[in-house]
Amino acid sequence: MSLRRETPDDDNRRTIALLDATDKAFEREPDGDLAVEFEAVVMEGLLTDRAVSVYPPAGHTFPRRG
């Protein structure tokens, strides 16, 4: 069995699905500072590939799929 690398399209589809899920999960107002910080970290992680000109960054690859 050979493993194939994910493509930018695979990654993009997953990121969009995760953004949609976070929209739903974060619909209500956070109930404390920890929740606000958590939401900020999650969103930063999801939006990082949209903010850099080359993704994945040099020295990194997309994960392999089994």
Short mmCIF file of all heavy atoms in Angstrom, two decimals:
data_model
loop_
_atom_site.label_atom_id
_atom_site.label_comp_id
_atom_site.label_asym_id
_atom_site.label_seq_id
_atom_site.Cartn_x
_atom_site.Cartn_y
_atom_site.Cartn_z
N MET A 1 0.84 -1.18 0.00
CA MET A 1 0.00 0.00 0.00
C MET A 1 0.89 1.24 0.00
O MET A 1 1.77 1.39 0.83
CB MET A 1 -0.87 -0.02 1.25
CG MET A 1 -1.71 1.21 1.41
SD MET A 1 -2.87 1.05 2.76
CE MET A 1 -2.10 2.10 3.95
N SER A 2 0.66 2.12 -0.93
CA SER A 2 1.45 3.35 -0.97
C SER A 2 0.63 4.50 -0.38
O SER A 2 -0.60 4.54 -0.50
CB SER A 2 1.87 3.68 -2.39
OG SER A 2 0.74 4.01 -3.16
N LEU A 3 1.33 5.39 0.25
CA LEU A 3 0.68 6.57 0.83
C LEU A 3 0.80 7.71 -0.15
O LEU A 3 1.84 7.91 -0.75
CB LEU A 3 1.35 6.94 2.15
CG LEU A 3 1.30 5.91 3.26
CD1 LEU A 3 2.11 6.39 4.46
CD2 LEU A 3 -0.12 5.64 3.68
N ARG A 4 -0.26 8.46 -0.30
CA ARG A 4 -0.17 9.63 -1.17
C ARG A 4 -0.18 10.88 -0.31
O ARG A 4 -0.74 10.90 0.76
CB ARG A 4 -1.31 9.66 -2.18
CG ARG A 4 -2.66 10.05 -1.62
CD ARG A 4 -3.66 10.25 -2.76
NE ARG A 4 -4.94 10.64 -2.26
CZ ARG A 4 -5.30 11.90 -2.05
NH1 ARG A 4 -4.47 12.88 -2.30
NH2 ARG A 4 -6.50 12.20 -1.58
N ARG A 5 0.45 11.89 -0.78
CA ARG A 5 0.47 13.17 -0.07
C ARG A 5 -0.83 13.91 -0.35
O ARG A 5 -1.40 13.79 -1.43
CB ARG A 5 1.63 14.03 -0.53
CG ARG A 5 2.95 13.40 -0.19
CD ARG A 5 3.89 14.44 0.35
NE ARG A 5 5.15 13.83 0.70
CZ ARG A 5 5.51 13.57 1.93
NH1 ARG A 5 4.72 13.84 2.92
NH2 ARG A 5 6.68 13.02 2.18
N GLU A 6 -1.27 14.64 0.64
CA GLU A 6 -2.45 15.47 0.42
C GLU A 6 -2.09 16.59 -0.53
O GLU A 6 -0.94 17.01 -0.62
CB GLU A 6 -2.95 16.05 1.74
CG GLU A 6 -3.56 14.99 2.61
CD GLU A 6 -4.45 15.57 3.68
OE1 GLU A 6 -4.53 16.80 3.81
OE2 GLU A 6 -5.07 14.77 4.37
N THR A 7 -3.06 17.08 -1.22
CA THR A 7 -2.85 18.17 -2.16
C THR A 7 -3.33 19.48 -1.53
O THR A 7 -4.05 19.47 -0.53
CB THR A 7 -3.65 17.92 -3.44
OG1 THR A 7 -5.04 17.98 -3.13
CG2 THR A 7 -3.31 16.57 -4.06
N PRO A 8 -2.97 20.60 -2.11
CA PRO A 8 -3.51 21.87 -1.62
C PRO A 8 -5.05 21.88 -1.64
O PRO A 8 -5.68 22.45 -0.76
CB PRO A 8 -2.93 22.90 -2.58
CG PRO A 8 -1.63 22.28 -3.02
CD PRO A 8 -1.94 20.80 -3.13
N ASP A 9 -5.66 21.22 -2.63
CA ASP A 9 -7.12 21.16 -2.68
C ASP A 9 -7.69 20.37 -1.50
O ASP A 9 -8.71 20.75 -0.92
CB ASP A 9 -7.61 20.55 -3.99
CG ASP A 9 -7.46 21.49 -5.17
OD1 ASP A 9 -7.36 22.72 -4.96
OD2 ASP A 9 -7.45 20.99 -6.30
N ASP A 10 -7.04 19.25 -1.14
CA ASP A 10 -7.45 18.48 0.03
C ASP A 10 -7.42 19.36 1.27
O ASP A 10 -8.35 19.40 2.07
CB ASP A 10 -6.53 17.28 0.28
CG ASP A 10 -6.58 16.22 -0.80
OD1 ASP A 10 -7.65 16.07 -1.46
OD2 ASP A 10 -5.56 15.54 -1.00
N ASP A 11 -6.30 20.07 1.43
CA ASP A 11 -6.12 20.93 2.60
C ASP A 11 -7.15 22.05 2.61
O ASP A 11 -7.72 22.38 3.66
CB ASP A 11 -4.70 21.49 2.60
CG ASP A 11 -4.41 22.26 3.86
OD1 ASP A 11 -4.27 21.63 4.92
OD2 ASP A 11 -4.34 23.51 3.79
N ASN A 12 -7.41 22.64 1.46
CA ASN A 12 -8.38 23.73 1.37
C ASN A 12 -9.78 23.25 1.74
O ASN A 12 -10.50 23.93 2.49
CB ASN A 12 -8.37 24.33 -0.03
CG ASN A 12 -9.14 25.62 -0.08
OD1 ASN A 12 -8.95 26.50 0.74
ND2 ASN A 12 -10.03 25.72 -1.06
N ARG A 13 -10.19 22.09 1.24
CA ARG A 13 -11.50 21.55 1.58
C ARG A 13 -11.62 21.31 3.08
O ARG A 13 -12.64 21.63 3.71
CB ARG A 13 -11.77 20.25 0.82
CG ARG A 13 -12.24 20.47 -0.60
CD ARG A 13 -12.74 19.18 -1.23
NE ARG A 13 -11.68 18.20 -1.40
CZ ARG A 13 -10.83 18.18 -2.44
NH1 ARG A 13 -10.92 19.09 -3.37
NH2 ARG A 13 -9.92 17.24 -2.53
N ARG A 14 -10.58 20.77 3.69
CA ARG A 14 -10.60 20.51 5.13
C ARG A 14 -10.66 21.83 5.92
O ARG A 14 -11.39 21.94 6.89
CB ARG A 14 -9.37 19.71 5.56
CG ARG A 14 -9.38 19.39 7.03
CD ARG A 14 -8.28 18.46 7.45
NE ARG A 14 -8.43 17.17 6.81
CZ ARG A 14 -7.67 16.72 5.82
NH1 ARG A 14 -6.68 17.44 5.37
NH2 ARG A 14 -7.89 15.55 5.27
N THR A 15 -9.89 22.82 5.49
CA THR A 15 -9.89 24.11 6.18
C THR A 15 -11.27 24.75 6.11
O THR A 15 -11.78 25.26 7.11
CB THR A 15 -8.83 25.05 5.59
OG1 THR A 15 -7.54 24.46 5.76
CG2 THR A 15 -8.86 26.41 6.27
N ILE A 16 -11.91 24.71 4.95
CA ILE A 16 -13.25 25.29 4.81
C ILE A 16 -14.24 24.56 5.70
O ILE A 16 -15.06 25.19 6.37
CB ILE A 16 -13.68 25.28 3.33
CG1 ILE A 16 -12.85 26.30 2.54
CG2 ILE A 16 -15.17 25.58 3.20
CD1 ILE A 16 -13.01 26.20 1.05
N ALA A 17 -14.17 23.24 5.76
CA ALA A 17 -15.07 22.48 6.62
C ALA A 17 -14.84 22.83 8.09
O ALA A 17 -15.80 22.98 8.86
CB ALA A 17 -14.86 20.98 6.41
N LEU A 18 -13.59 22.99 8.48
CA LEU A 18 -13.29 23.37 9.86
C LEU A 18 -13.75 24.79 10.17
O LEU A 18 -14.27 25.06 11.27
CB LEU A 18 -11.79 23.22 10.15
CG LEU A 18 -11.29 21.79 10.25
CD1 LEU A 18 -9.76 21.76 10.24
CD2 LEU A 18 -11.84 21.12 11.48
N LEU A 19 -13.60 25.70 9.23
CA LEU A 19 -14.10 27.07 9.43
C LEU A 19 -15.62 27.07 9.59
O LEU A 19 -16.16 27.78 10.45
CB LEU A 19 -13.67 27.98 8.28
CG LEU A 19 -12.21 28.41 8.29
CD1 LEU A 19 -11.85 29.05 6.96
CD2 LEU A 19 -11.93 29.35 9.44
N ASP A 20 -16.31 26.29 8.78
CA ASP A 20 -17.77 26.19 8.91
C ASP A 20 -18.16 25.63 10.28
O ASP A 20 -19.08 26.12 10.93
CB ASP A 20 -18.36 25.30 7.81
CG ASP A 20 -18.30 25.95 6.44
OD1 ASP A 20 -18.10 27.19 6.36
OD2 ASP A 20 -18.45 25.22 5.44
N ALA A 21 -17.43 24.62 10.73
CA ALA A 21 -17.73 24.02 12.04
C ALA A 21 -17.44 24.99 13.18
O ALA A 21 -18.20 25.05 14.15
CB ALA A 21 -16.92 22.74 12.22
N THR A 22 -16.37 25.78 13.05
CA THR A 22 -16.08 26.74 14.12
C THR A 22 -17.11 27.86 14.14
O THR A 22 -17.45 28.35 15.22
CB THR A 22 -14.66 27.33 14.01
OG1 THR A 22 -14.48 27.91 12.73
CG2 THR A 22 -13.60 26.30 14.26
N ASP A 23 -17.61 28.26 12.99
CA ASP A 23 -18.69 29.26 12.96
C ASP A 23 -19.86 28.78 13.80
O ASP A 23 -20.42 29.53 14.61
CB ASP A 23 -19.17 29.53 11.53
CG ASP A 23 -18.26 30.47 10.76
OD1 ASP A 23 -17.42 31.14 11.40
OD2 ASP A 23 -18.39 30.51 9.53
N LYS A 24 -20.22 27.54 13.61
CA LYS A 24 -21.34 26.97 14.36
C LYS A 24 -21.00 26.85 15.84
O LYS A 24 -21.79 27.19 16.71
CB LYS A 24 -21.71 25.62 13.78
CG LYS A 24 -22.95 25.01 14.38
CD LYS A 24 -23.28 23.70 13.72
CE LYS A 24 -24.49 23.93 12.85
NZ LYS A 24 -24.99 22.72 12.23
N ALA A 25 -19.79 26.37 16.14
CA ALA A 25 -19.39 26.15 17.54
C ALA A 25 -19.25 27.46 18.31
O ALA A 25 -19.53 27.51 19.50
CB ALA A 25 -18.07 25.39 17.59
N PHE A 26 -18.85 28.51 17.62
CA PHE A 26 -18.60 29.78 18.30
C PHE A 26 -19.74 30.78 18.10
O PHE A 26 -19.56 31.99 18.26
CB PHE A 26 -17.28 30.40 17.82
CG PHE A 26 -16.06 29.57 18.11
CD1 PHE A 26 -14.93 29.68 17.32
CD2 PHE A 26 -16.02 28.69 19.18
CE1 PHE A 26 -13.79 28.92 17.59
CE2 PHE A 26 -14.89 27.92 19.45
CZ PHE A 26 -13.77 28.05 18.65
N GLU A 27 -20.94 30.30 17.77
CA GLU A 27 -22.09 31.20 17.56
C GLU A 27 -22.42 32.02 18.80
O GLU A 27 -22.74 33.18 18.71
CB GLU A 27 -23.32 30.40 17.14
CG GLU A 27 -23.35 30.08 15.68
CD GLU A 27 -24.55 29.25 15.28
OE1 GLU A 27 -25.26 28.71 16.17
OE2 GLU A 27 -24.80 29.13 14.08
N ARG A 28 -22.37 31.38 19.95
CA ARG A 28 -22.71 32.13 21.16
C ARG A 28 -21.48 32.85 21.69
O ARG A 28 -20.35 32.49 21.40
CB ARG A 28 -23.31 31.23 22.22
CG ARG A 28 -22.40 30.15 22.68
CD ARG A 28 -23.08 29.21 23.65
NE ARG A 28 -22.03 28.42 24.26
CZ ARG A 28 -21.89 28.20 25.53
NH1 ARG A 28 -22.79 28.63 26.36
NH2 ARG A 28 -20.89 27.51 25.99
N GLU A 29 -21.74 33.87 22.48
CA GLU A 29 -20.65 34.66 23.04
C GLU A 29 -19.81 33.82 24.00
O GLU A 29 -20.36 33.00 24.75
CB GLU A 29 -21.22 35.86 23.80
CG GLU A 29 -21.83 36.91 22.89
CD GLU A 29 -20.81 37.53 21.95
OE1 GLU A 29 -19.70 37.88 22.40
OE2 GLU A 29 -21.11 37.66 20.76
N PRO A 30 -18.49 33.99 23.99
CA PRO A 30 -17.64 33.27 24.93
C PRO A 30 -18.01 33.63 26.37
O PRO A 30 -18.39 34.76 26.64
CB PRO A 30 -16.22 33.74 24.60
CG PRO A 30 -16.32 34.64 23.44
CD PRO A 30 -17.75 34.88 23.13
N ASP A 31 -17.89 32.67 27.27
CA ASP A 31 -18.29 32.92 28.64
C ASP A 31 -17.11 33.21 29.57
O ASP A 31 -17.24 33.09 30.78
CB ASP A 31 -19.13 31.77 29.18
CG ASP A 31 -18.44 30.43 29.07
OD1 ASP A 31 -17.29 30.39 28.61
OD2 ASP A 31 -19.05 29.42 29.46
N GLY A 32 -16.00 33.62 29.02
CA GLY A 32 -14.86 33.99 29.85
C GLY A 32 -13.62 34.26 29.02
O GLY A 32 -13.60 34.01 27.81
N ASP A 33 -12.60 34.78 29.69
CA ASP A 33 -11.36 35.12 28.99
C ASP A 33 -10.70 33.90 28.35
O ASP A 33 -10.15 34.00 27.25
CB ASP A 33 -10.37 35.79 29.95
CG ASP A 33 -10.82 37.18 30.36
OD1 ASP A 33 -11.67 37.78 29.65
OD2 ASP A 33 -10.33 37.68 31.39
N LEU A 34 -10.75 32.76 29.03
CA LEU A 34 -10.14 31.56 28.48
C LEU A 34 -10.82 31.15 27.17
O LEU A 34 -10.15 30.79 26.20
CB LEU A 34 -10.20 30.41 29.48
CG LEU A 34 -9.51 29.11 29.05
CD1 LEU A 34 -8.04 29.33 28.75
CD2 LEU A 34 -9.68 28.04 30.12
N ALA A 35 -12.13 31.26 27.12
CA ALA A 35 -12.86 30.92 25.89
C ALA A 35 -12.49 31.87 24.76
O ALA A 35 -12.35 31.46 23.61
CB ALA A 35 -14.36 30.94 26.15
N VAL A 36 -12.33 33.15 25.07
CA VAL A 36 -11.95 34.14 24.06
C VAL A 36 -10.57 33.79 23.51
O VAL A 36 -10.35 33.80 22.29
CB VAL A 36 -11.95 35.57 24.66
CG1 VAL A 36 -11.33 36.56 23.69
CG2 VAL A 36 -13.37 35.99 25.02
N GLU A 37 -9.63 33.48 24.39
CA GLU A 37 -8.28 33.12 23.96
C GLU A 37 -8.29 31.84 23.14
O GLU A 37 -7.59 31.74 22.13
CB GLU A 37 -7.36 32.96 25.17
CG GLU A 37 -7.06 34.26 25.87
CD GLU A 37 -6.19 34.06 27.10
OE1 GLU A 37 -5.34 33.15 27.09
OE2 GLU A 37 -6.39 34.81 28.07
N PHE A 38 -9.08 30.86 23.55
CA PHE A 38 -9.18 29.60 22.83
C PHE A 38 -9.69 29.84 21.40
O PHE A 38 -9.11 29.33 20.44
CB PHE A 38 -10.10 28.62 23.56
CG PHE A 38 -10.33 27.34 22.82
CD1 PHE A 38 -9.36 26.36 22.80
CD2 PHE A 38 -11.52 27.12 22.13
CE1 PHE A 38 -9.55 25.17 22.10
CE2 PHE A 38 -11.72 25.94 21.44
CZ PHE A 38 -10.74 24.97 21.43
N GLU A 39 -10.75 30.61 21.28
CA GLU A 39 -11.29 30.91 19.95
C GLU A 39 -10.25 31.59 19.08
O GLU A 39 -10.12 31.28 17.90
CB GLU A 39 -12.53 31.78 20.07
CG GLU A 39 -13.73 31.03 20.58
CD GLU A 39 -14.98 31.89 20.63
OE1 GLU A 39 -15.05 32.91 19.91
OE2 GLU A 39 -15.89 31.54 21.39
N ALA A 40 -9.48 32.52 19.65
CA ALA A 40 -8.46 33.24 18.89
C ALA A 40 -7.39 32.28 18.38
O ALA A 40 -6.96 32.38 17.23
CB ALA A 40 -7.84 34.34 19.75
N VAL A 41 -6.97 31.35 19.22
CA VAL A 41 -5.94 30.38 18.82
C VAL A 41 -6.46 29.47 17.71
O VAL A 41 -5.77 29.21 16.72
CB VAL A 41 -5.46 29.56 20.03
CG1 VAL A 41 -4.61 28.37 19.59
CG2 VAL A 41 -4.69 30.44 21.00
N VAL A 42 -7.69 28.99 17.86
CA VAL A 42 -8.29 28.12 16.84
C VAL A 42 -8.38 28.85 15.50
O VAL A 42 -7.98 28.33 14.46
CB VAL A 42 -9.68 27.62 17.29
CG1 VAL A 42 -10.40 26.93 16.14
CG2 VAL A 42 -9.55 26.68 18.48
N MET A 43 -8.88 30.08 15.53
CA MET A 43 -9.02 30.82 14.28
C MET A 43 -7.67 31.14 13.65
O MET A 43 -7.52 31.07 12.43
CB MET A 43 -9.83 32.10 14.52
CG MET A 43 -11.27 31.84 14.90
SD MET A 43 -12.16 30.72 13.78
CE MET A 43 -12.22 31.70 12.30
N GLU A 44 -6.69 31.48 14.46
CA GLU A 44 -5.35 31.75 13.91
C GLU A 44 -4.81 30.51 13.21
O GLU A 44 -4.24 30.60 12.12
CB GLU A 44 -4.40 32.19 15.02
CG GLU A 44 -3.02 32.52 14.49
CD GLU A 44 -2.07 33.01 15.56
OE1 GLU A 44 -2.52 33.40 16.64
OE2 GLU A 44 -0.86 32.98 15.29
N GLY A 45 -4.98 29.36 13.84
CA GLY A 45 -4.51 28.13 13.22
C GLY A 45 -5.20 27.82 11.91
O GLY A 45 -4.57 27.37 10.95
N LEU A 46 -6.49 28.09 11.84
CA LEU A 46 -7.23 27.81 10.62
C LEU A 46 -6.94 28.81 9.51
O LEU A 46 -7.02 28.48 8.34
CB LEU A 46 -8.74 27.79 10.90
CG LEU A 46 -9.23 26.59 11.70
CD1 LEU A 46 -10.69 26.78 12.08
CD2 LEU A 46 -9.05 25.31 10.92
N LEU A 47 -6.61 30.02 9.88
CA LEU A 47 -6.42 31.06 8.87
C LEU A 47 -4.97 31.25 8.45
O LEU A 47 -4.69 31.97 7.51
CB LEU A 47 -7.00 32.38 9.36
CG LEU A 47 -8.51 32.35 9.60
CD1 LEU A 47 -8.98 33.65 10.23
CD2 LEU A 47 -9.26 32.08 8.30
N THR A 48 -4.04 30.58 9.12
CA THR A 48 -2.62 30.76 8.82
C THR A 48 -2.30 30.48 7.36
O THR A 48 -1.58 31.24 6.72
CB THR A 48 -1.75 29.87 9.72
OG1 THR A 48 -1.93 30.31 11.07
CG2 THR A 48 -0.29 29.96 9.35
N ASP A 49 -2.85 29.41 6.81
CA ASP A 49 -2.51 29.08 5.42
C ASP A 49 -3.07 30.12 4.45
O ASP A 49 -2.61 30.22 3.33
CB ASP A 49 -2.98 27.68 5.04
CG ASP A 49 -4.49 27.52 5.05
OD1 ASP A 49 -5.15 28.22 5.83
OD2 ASP A 49 -4.99 26.69 4.27
N ARG A 50 -4.03 30.90 4.88
CA ARG A 50 -4.58 31.94 4.02
C ARG A 50 -3.74 33.23 4.10
O ARG A 50 -3.84 34.09 3.26
CB ARG A 50 -6.01 32.27 4.44
CG ARG A 50 -6.93 31.06 4.49
CD ARG A 50 -7.78 31.02 3.25
NE ARG A 50 -8.89 30.10 3.30
CZ ARG A 50 -8.82 28.84 2.97
NH1 ARG A 50 -7.68 28.30 2.65
NH2 ARG A 50 -9.90 28.09 2.95
N ALA A 51 -2.93 33.35 5.15
CA ALA A 51 -2.21 34.59 5.41
C ALA A 51 -0.78 34.59 4.86
O ALA A 51 -0.16 35.63 4.81
CB ALA A 51 -2.18 34.87 6.92
N VAL A 52 -0.27 33.45 4.49
CA VAL A 52 1.10 33.37 4.00
C VAL A 52 1.10 33.13 2.49
O VAL A 52 0.19 32.52 1.96
CB VAL A 52 1.91 32.26 4.73
CG1 VAL A 52 2.07 32.60 6.20
CG2 VAL A 52 1.27 30.91 4.57
N SER A 53 2.14 33.63 1.86
CA SER A 53 2.16 33.53 0.38
C SER A 53 2.51 32.13 -0.10
O SER A 53 2.11 31.73 -1.19
CB SER A 53 3.13 34.54 -0.19
OG SER A 53 4.42 34.32 0.34
N VAL A 54 3.27 31.38 0.68
CA VAL A 54 3.65 30.02 0.29
C VAL A 54 3.20 29.08 1.39
O VAL A 54 3.61 29.22 2.54
CB VAL A 54 5.18 29.90 0.10
CG1 VAL A 54 5.55 28.46 -0.21
CG2 VAL A 54 5.65 30.83 -0.99
N TYR A 55 2.32 28.15 1.05
CA TYR A 55 1.83 27.20 2.03
C TYR A 55 1.82 25.82 1.41
O TYR A 55 1.35 25.69 0.29
CB TYR A 55 0.42 27.57 2.48
CG TYR A 55 -0.08 26.67 3.58
CD1 TYR A 55 0.30 26.88 4.89
CD2 TYR A 55 -0.89 25.58 3.29
CE1 TYR A 55 -0.14 26.04 5.90
CE2 TYR A 55 -1.32 24.74 4.30
CZ TYR A 55 -0.95 24.98 5.60
OH TYR A 55 -1.37 24.15 6.59
N PRO A 56 2.32 24.82 2.02
CA PRO A 56 2.98 24.85 3.33
C PRO A 56 4.33 25.54 3.24
O PRO A 56 4.93 25.62 2.17
CB PRO A 56 3.14 23.38 3.69
CG PRO A 56 3.03 22.62 2.42
CD PRO A 56 2.27 23.47 1.47
N PRO A 57 4.82 26.07 4.37
CA PRO A 57 6.09 26.79 4.36
C PRO A 57 7.25 25.88 3.95
O PRO A 57 7.15 24.66 4.05
CB PRO A 57 6.25 27.28 5.79
CG PRO A 57 5.18 26.64 6.59
CD PRO A 57 4.21 26.00 5.67
N ALA A 58 8.33 26.49 3.54
CA ALA A 58 9.52 25.73 3.13
C ALA A 58 9.93 24.76 4.23
O ALA A 58 9.91 25.10 5.41
CB ALA A 58 10.66 26.71 2.83
N GLY A 59 10.26 23.56 3.83
CA GLY A 59 10.69 22.53 4.78
C GLY A 59 9.54 21.70 5.32
O GLY A 59 9.76 20.74 6.05
N HIS A 60 8.33 22.04 4.96
CA HIS A 60 7.15 21.29 5.41
C HIS A 60 6.41 20.73 4.20
O HIS A 60 6.53 21.25 3.11
CB HIS A 60 6.19 22.20 6.21
CG HIS A 60 6.81 22.70 7.46
ND1 HIS A 60 6.69 22.05 8.66
CD2 HIS A 60 7.55 23.79 7.71
CE1 HIS A 60 7.32 22.72 9.59
NE2 HIS A 60 7.87 23.79 9.04
N THR A 61 5.66 19.70 4.42
CA THR A 61 4.84 19.14 3.35
C THR A 61 3.45 18.90 3.89
O THR A 61 3.20 18.95 5.10
CB THR A 61 5.41 17.79 2.85
OG1 THR A 61 5.42 16.88 3.94
CG2 THR A 61 6.81 17.96 2.28
N PHE A 62 2.54 18.62 3.00
CA PHE A 62 1.21 18.20 3.42
C PHE A 62 1.32 16.80 4.03
O PHE A 62 2.19 16.02 3.62
CB PHE A 62 0.25 18.19 2.23
CG PHE A 62 -0.10 19.56 1.75
CD1 PHE A 62 0.48 20.07 0.61
CD2 PHE A 62 -1.02 20.33 2.42
CE1 PHE A 62 0.16 21.33 0.16
CE2 PHE A 62 -1.35 21.60 2.00
CZ PHE A 62 -0.74 22.11 0.85
N PRO A 63 0.46 16.45 4.96
CA PRO A 63 0.54 15.12 5.55
C PRO A 63 0.26 14.04 4.53
O PRO A 63 -0.38 14.28 3.51
CB PRO A 63 -0.53 15.14 6.64
CG PRO A 63 -1.37 16.33 6.39
CD PRO A 63 -0.61 17.25 5.49
N ARG A 64 0.72 12.84 4.84
CA ARG A 64 0.44 11.69 3.98
C ARG A 64 -0.88 11.06 4.37
O ARG A 64 -1.26 11.06 5.52
CB ARG A 64 1.55 10.65 4.10
CG ARG A 64 2.80 11.10 3.45
CD ARG A 64 3.82 10.02 3.53
NE ARG A 64 5.09 10.67 3.80
CZ ARG A 64 6.17 10.05 4.18
NH1 ARG A 64 6.16 8.77 4.38
NH2 ARG A 64 7.27 10.72 4.39
N ARG A 65 -1.55 10.53 3.39
CA ARG A 65 -2.82 9.85 3.64
C ARG A 65 -2.60 8.36 3.45
O ARG A 65 -1.89 7.94 2.58
CB ARG A 65 -3.88 10.33 2.67
CG ARG A 65 -4.18 11.82 2.89
CD ARG A 65 -5.24 12.22 1.98
NE ARG A 65 -6.47 11.60 2.44
CZ ARG A 65 -7.65 12.14 2.32
NH1 ARG A 65 -7.78 13.29 1.74
NH2 ARG A 65 -8.72 11.52 2.75
N GLY A 66 -3.26 7.59 4.27
CA GLY A 66 -3.13 6.14 4.17
C GLY A 66 -4.20 5.52 3.34
O GLY A 66 -5.11 6.06 2.87
#
